[in-house]
Structures are given as C-alpha cells and as structure tokens.
Amino acid sequence: MGANVMENDKGHFVIGLHRSFKTGSFSDANISMFNLLTPHLKNTIEIQNRLHEHQQQCRAGYDAIDCLPFGIVFLDRNKRPIWHNRRAAEIISNGKSLNITSDKIYCEHAVESHKLSWLIDEALRQNQYQGGQMSLSSEAGNLTIFVVPLGLEHHQYSALADQAQAVIFLGDSISDSKVSTEILHMLYALTPAESRLVNGLCEGLTIKEMEKAFGLSGNTLRSQLKAIFRKTGTNRQAELVRRVMTGPAILLP
C-alpha cells in the first residue's frame, strides 16, 4: 500500500507500507486510515519545507549583514541586544567606549550611557521617530551611534517583528572609509594605483594631499582620475565617491 504524497520541482515524496505474508493483507480499515492520514502527512512536509526555506533566508540575511562595514545591533522591546553583526563585535572589542552584554548595551561614561538609553527609549516608542545620533570619542578613535526604530509590525516574518524592535548602527569614521582594492579591481578593472587614489578620495584626501602622501605629481594623479572616471562611468569626484561608498566595493573582505 502506498501513495505519492507530494511532487514538486525538488522531487517526489513517496510513502509505502508493507506487511509480511504471515500478517496478511491490509484491511479496509487500514486502507481508510492510510487515506485519511496521507493529506495530513503532505501538510506536515509542506510546513517543514517552508520552515527550511525560512531558515535559509534568515541565514542568508544574517550572512549579508555580517558583510557590512558598519556595526549593527538589534534590540528587543526591553532594550536587550538580541543579535549583533561581526563588525559591531569588532568595534566594541577595539575599545570604542561601548560595551554590550546579554542584557544591555551601554557606554563606559554615565552621561553618554544615559543619552544612549534615551535614544533607545525614543526608538522603541516609534511615535513617528526618525532616529537619533550621538558620538563617542576615545583613544581608539571616534564612533558614531545611530539608533532607529525597526518598524517590522507588518513584516512577513512575524517572529522577527516580535523580537527586534530597534536597531543601532555603529560607524567608525576611519575604518568605514576604507574600500576593498580587490573588489574595485573586480567591479571596475581599476589598477592598484587607481584603487589607491579612490581610497584616498573616500578618506577625504584632496589631490594636493595625495601628491605628498603618494609621492606622485598632480598631473599623474589627474591622469589616473580621468581613467577612473571612464571606468566607473562617473564625471566628478563627489559622484565617484558616492558610487563607491554606496556600492559593493565598500564591503569588508
């Protein structure tokens, strides 16, 4: 006795029940019960497949967030951190005057910690709040903190909406301005020298400053810049920086 329970683009799911000759044939009651249970088995398999797809989507999403060059911390309705990406862990471990535990995220100094707590409270209220920003300074450098409501009330993944209510973005002004030379070459076929020039522009350097830093003449740098404009389809330095800093080239290796 058997049935083709499910058939889709991934294959077939077939179930079969067997008895020994000594046991004898299936009774009408056995067959009726099998026919009754088969649709439920199909529903169970469909639910399992959807859960698996959902898990894969979540895993892909977290992996993508881990590639971002800035820190991200998700908070629940009780201000507890429920997940943070790799960059956030690096920023916190590098001594940026910010700490994170299983219960809270806080600053080393009371005044700054109070302000961060207030920003989180405002984000959790979600009363048309667009987010708030603060900065921390330490020997390790400057850190920009931006807190915004997540707004997932109508998100298709209700489980995530039940947990994550606010998100904190952590930006390191120094490390976040660096661009992957390898990706620049892959995307735009830039030479190492051209990639170094793009890196300088993204870090806020002028052509004059790069003349001294790179030991090259202004004419050489301007010639490289023209080649970069041509390869990236841009016409101005500001446009070039915006394209690079908002595209995949900014992702960390």
Side-chain angles (χ1 to χ4, degrees):
M1 179 170 59
N4 186 5
V5 179
M6 180 179 296
E7 180 178 350
N8 55 33
D9 57 350
K10 297 180 181 179
H12 301 265
F13 185 89
V14 180
I15 185 171
L17 299 179
H18 304 273
R19 277 183 169 181
S20 66
F21 287 109
K22 292 183 179 180
T23 306
S25 303
F26 290 101
S27 66
D28 291 341
N30 295 146
I31 296 173
S32 296
M33 180 60 69
F34 179 80
N35 292 334
L36 178 66
L37 293 177
T38 298
H40 297 287
L41 180 59
K42 178 181 180 180
N43 291 336
T44 301
I45 297 171
E46 288 178 345
I47 292 173
Q48 178 62 35
N49 288 339
R50 290 177 184 175
L51 286 173
H52 179 67
E53 291 175 359
H54 172 67
Q55 290 172 346
Q56 288 183 316
Q57 290 170 349
C58 289
R59 189 177 300 112
Y62 284 129
D63 288 344
I65 294 174
D66 253 342
C67 292
L68 296 175
F70 46 83
I72 293 181
V73 182
F74 292 115
L75 304 176
D76 67 12
R77 65 183 78 252
N78 296 312
K79 303 167 64 171
R80 289 192 298 259
I82 58 175
W83 188 82
H84 59 275
N85 69 345
R86 179 176 55 194
R87 183 63 189 133
E90 292 174 351
I91 290 174
I92 293 170
S93 65
N94 287 339
K96 298 290 187 178
S97 302
L98 191 68
N99 298 287
I100 188 170
T101 67
S102 59
D103 295 324
K104 62 180 179 179
I105 182 169
Y106 62 96
C107 306
E108 290 184 358
H109 301 293
V111 174
E112 294 173 332
S113 201
H114 177 75
K115 182 175 182 180
L116 175 59
S117 180
W118 180 84
L119 290 174
I120 294 172
D121 287 336
E122 289 298 300
L124 291 174
R125 290 191 185 97
Q126 298 189 18
N127 295 326
Q128 305 299 320
Y129 184 64
Q130 298 300 314
Q133 179 178 325
M134 64 180 291
S135 297
L136 298 179
S137 298
S138 68
E139 294 181 357
N142 297 325
L143 176 66
T144 299
I145 302 174
F146 192 52
V147 187
V148 296
L150 202 51
L152 290 179
E153 297 91 340
H154 305 293
H155 197 280
Q156 59 177 319
Y157 301 129
S158 59
L160 180 59
D162 289 340
Q163 296 183 50
Q165 297 293 311
V167 60
I168 298 176
F169 296 96
L170 307 175
D172 182 327
S173 59
I174 296 177
S175 62
D176 286 353
S177 64
K178 294 183 179 179
V179 187
S180 169
T181 300
E182 292 77 10
I183 296 180
L184 281 174
H185 175 71
M186 180 183 68
L187 292 176
Y188 307 114
L190 299 188
T191 66
E194 291 166 350
S195 296
R196 183 176 62 170
L197 193 154
V198 169
N199 244 318
L201 292 175
C202 291
E203 291 173 8
L205 298 179
T206 65
I207 295 294
K208 182 66 74 174
E209 290 170 332
M210 283 187 279
E211 287 182 31
K212 183 177 181 181
F214 301 161
L216 298 174
S217 69
N219 288 335
T220 298
L221 290 174
R222 280 185 283 272
S223 176
Q224 291 177 357
L225 186 58
K226 288 181 180 179
I228 295 170
F229 285 158
R230 175 174 51 80
K231 292 179 180 180
T232 58
T234 55
N235 297 301
R236 295 177 296 130
Q237 292 184 27
E239 182 185 4
L240 170 64
V241 171
R242 183 170 62 251
R243 173 161 299 182
V244 170
M245 295 298 287
T246 59
I250 192 61
L251 298 180
L252 294 176

